[in-house]
Amino acid sequence: MPQHVYIIGAKGVSFYGGYESFVQKLLEYHQEDTDIQYHVACKANGEGRMDVSKLEGVSQIVEGRFTYCNADCFLIQVPQWMRSAQAIVYDVKALKECCRHIKENRIKRPIVYILACRIGPFVHNYVKKLHKLDARIYLNPDGHEWKRAKWSAPVRRYWKESERLMVKYADLVICDSINIERYIQEQYKRYGPKTTYIAYGAETKRSSLADDDPRYIAWRKKYGLTQYYTMISRCVPENNYETIIREFMKSHSKKDLAIISTDNPKLTDKLEKKLHYKQDSRIKFVGTVYDQELLAKIRENAYGYLHGHSVGGTNPSLLEALGATKLNLLFDIGFNREVAGDAALYWANEEGALAALIDGADGMREEKVIELGSKAKQRIIDHYGWRSIADKYKSVFAY
């Protein structure tokens, strides 16, 4: 009998978004493994919904369920009027569906793996139901959601309390960062949480596109790019957009900054009023890139990658940059140093610090750039290879 694992908390499976990318890779690497059967919740409507039509090799949807990479995927509808609260309702409804499916199909010793700490105030009753069904509840706490700048003070208090309750009732907490695991153990010592560390993963294989591939050439031509730095992230304040843009504008670099991001007019308008970045022809917001081979080529050919994430654990976009881009300039915080070690350069959130680092990077000897690139790829191979991480998950699911 296979081990049944229910995954909730991701919006579905895709190559865009941390949890979604993680689920995608887990399914890919275990799709031929008869010892494990995944059941994955997917958001059917609203912001970030799972567009099933974009998945290759997917079955037809029957009564809200479809098969992808041999996983049983189930669609969850959410009230769209609830806006930011959609995520909470989505997780609660997905958890309710897990209980129903486990009970009706008499699944033996299943695992329900919850990604992120959004539903702490609601989780206890479901945990009791699941324990009665002989299920275990695993949790991935992500990073410090309660620190994100976009949330108001009351919402931050909710996220902190939700985190506490999720950790309290979980049977196992799987941390994607050593720093996060240490935080969980210290902050919630009174609950004696059982924790383990399994990082996110990345690839080091090169893009299948040649440097003169029409797709890549067209992308560069569209935005007038020759030599460029890039940053790839959600457009939110905690990713240090203001600092990166301000400091790039202060630098003497002749290269462009190609910002690949989600759309956030509220933040970009605010940045324009404060920084007037549109007057600097080097600063270029270029939208999103869903073509994975093109995105890999963009990373490979970037002169450098700028990473400003200040909240969270092991960030997927950082791993992907280390696997592809030679020169990586990272915000100096414990999570980022844990991942990159001595394979990257670091900047502090201080006036002039990043501008000076960019100027120094522009003048760096080619041998040093190549050396850092080799170290970065080796770091991925040694610590963040997807095969190894998929094997670790199979082991932790086999209880």
Side-chain angles (χ1 to χ4, degrees):
M1 292 290 291
Q3 172 63 60
H4 290 261
V5 178
Y6 293 76
I7 301 178
I8 70 172
K11 293 182 178 70
V13 287
S14 77
F15 290 101
Y16 213 81
Y19 277 141
E20 293 74 28
S21 299
F22 160 70
V23 174
Q24 172 76 37
K25 287 297 182 180
L26 212 57
L27 300 193
E28 276 184 25
Y29 276 85
H30 289 158
Q31 63 182 313
E32 304 299 334
D33 195 327
T34 56
D35 292 333
I36 192 163
Q37 174 63 58
Y38 286 110
H39 307 266
V40 181
C42 300
K43 197 163 186 265
N45 64 321
E47 184 182 353
R49 72 181 182 88
M50 176 77 255
D51 188 348
V52 181
S53 67
K54 289 185 177 180
L55 295 176
E56 292 185 11
V58 68
S59 73
Q60 283 190 325
I61 300 172
V62 179
E63 296 182 349
R65 303 185 91 93
F66 62 93
T67 302
Y68 175 68
C69 287
N70 288 327
D72 163 46
C73 302
F74 53 100
L75 294 166
I76 300 294
Q77 296 276 344
V78 295
Q80 296 191 52
W81 59 266
M82 299 193 74
R83 296 187 180 180
S84 58
Q86 280 187 22
I88 297 170
V89 176
Y90 170 59
D91 284 1
V92 170
K93 290 186 71 174
L95 195 53
K96 184 177 180 180
E97 172 59 20
C98 291
C99 291
R100 184 203 67 78
H101 192 268
I102 290 166
K103 185 175 181 179
E104 289 189 7
N105 292 278
R106 299 181 180 180
I107 305 296
K108 303 293 185 184
R109 292 166 56 84
I111 290 168
V112 177
Y113 189 20
I114 304 174
L115 308 178
C117 297
R118 289 185 284 259
I119 54 172
F122 311 97
V123 80
H124 188 210
N125 286 335
Y126 288 100
V127 169
K128 287 192 292 185
K129 290 177 182 178
L130 288 164
H131 280 169
K132 285 181 181 178
L133 295 169
D134 201 23
R136 296 185 73 186
I137 294 80
Y138 289 5
L139 168 69
N140 185 306
D142 197 14
H144 300 312
E145 183 69 28
W146 48 274
K147 284 187 176 181
R148 294 191 187 277
K150 66 178 179 178
W151 301 125
S152 63
V155 174
R156 289 185 194 183
R157 286 194 292 271
Y158 172 86
W159 289 129
K160 190 70 174 71
E161 177 64 4
S162 185
E163 177 186 90
R164 180 185 72 83
L165 293 168
M166 295 292 288
V167 172
K168 178 180 179 180
Y169 293 118
D171 296 306
L172 177 67
V173 181
I174 302 176
C175 304
D176 61 65
S177 159
I178 293 168
N179 278 282
I180 288 289
E181 183 177 23
R182 186 181 302 119
Y183 161 78
I184 294 293
Q185 286 290 346
E186 292 173 356
Q187 183 75 14
Y188 302 109
K189 184 178 180 181
R190 62 192 181 277
Y191 302 132
K194 184 180 178 184
T195 64
T196 191
Y197 163 66
I198 307 178
Y200 279 126
E203 309 281 7
T204 56
K205 63 184 180 182
R206 292 184 64 82
S207 169
S208 63
L209 303 187
D211 286 349
D212 60 354
D213 186 280
R215 278 184 283 172
Y216 177 59
I217 296 298
W219 180 82
R220 279 178 44 178
K221 186 176 180 180
K222 181 178 180 180
Y223 299 106
L225 296 166
T226 51
Q227 279 196 310
Y228 59 91
Y229 286 85
T230 190
M231 59 184 289
I232 303 171
S233 67
R234 288 185 304 140
C235 188
V236 291
E238 59 267 23
N239 290 344
N240 275 304
Y241 269 66
E242 181 177 336
T243 300
I244 291 172
I245 293 172
R246 183 190 69 231
E247 294 293 306
F248 201 94
M249 291 173 70
K250 284 184 178 180
S251 78
H252 299 93
S253 182
K254 297 292 192 291
K255 301 173 180 63
D256 292 318
L257 173 59
I259 303 171
I260 298 173
S261 69
T262 52
D263 189 32
N264 186 345
K266 185 177 179 181
L267 179 57
T268 51
D269 288 349
K270 181 180 176 182
L271 292 173
E272 172 58 20
K273 287 177 183 176
K274 190 169 185 178
L275 303 176
H276 307 292
Y277 69 83
K278 290 181 181 179
Q279 295 177 19
D280 190 327
S281 62
R282 299 172 300 170
I283 310 298
K284 298 177 178 179
F285 280 85
V286 300
T288 52
V289 178
Y290 287 97
D291 181 332
Q292 291 304 298
E293 292 301 325
L294 175 58
L295 193 58
K297 178 55 63 176
I298 292 167
R299 285 193 178 99
E300 286 172 14
N301 284 0
Y303 182 77
Y305 169 75
L306 297 175
H307 186 76
H309 292 59
S310 62
V311 178
T314 305
N315 184 267
S317 63
L318 173 53
L319 295 177
E320 288 156 358
L322 291 172
T325 310
K326 296 184 181 71
L327 194 55
N328 293 279
L329 284 61
L330 317 182
F331 178 52
D332 195 356
I333 193 170
F335 301 123
N336 295 336
R337 278 195 178 268
E338 175 191 320
V339 172
D342 65 352
L345 306 176
Y346 296 90
W347 49 274
N349 196 358
E350 298 171 358
E351 193 83 19
L354 177 54
L357 189 63
I358 291 168
D359 288 340
D362 275 359
M364 188 174 287
R365 291 180 295 109
E366 186 178 1
E367 309 90 83
K368 181 62 177 176
V369 174
I370 292 171
E371 178 190 340
L372 284 168
S374 297
K375 281 185 176 181
K377 286 182 176 59
Q378 196 59 49
R379 189 111 182 131
I380 296 299
I381 292 166
D382 291 345
H383 302 286
Y384 299 103
W386 270 121
R387 177 73 273 167
S388 171
I389 286 162
D391 289 346
K392 288 176 182 177
Y393 265 99
K394 182 179 178 181
S395 178
V396 86
F397 288 153
Y399 79 100

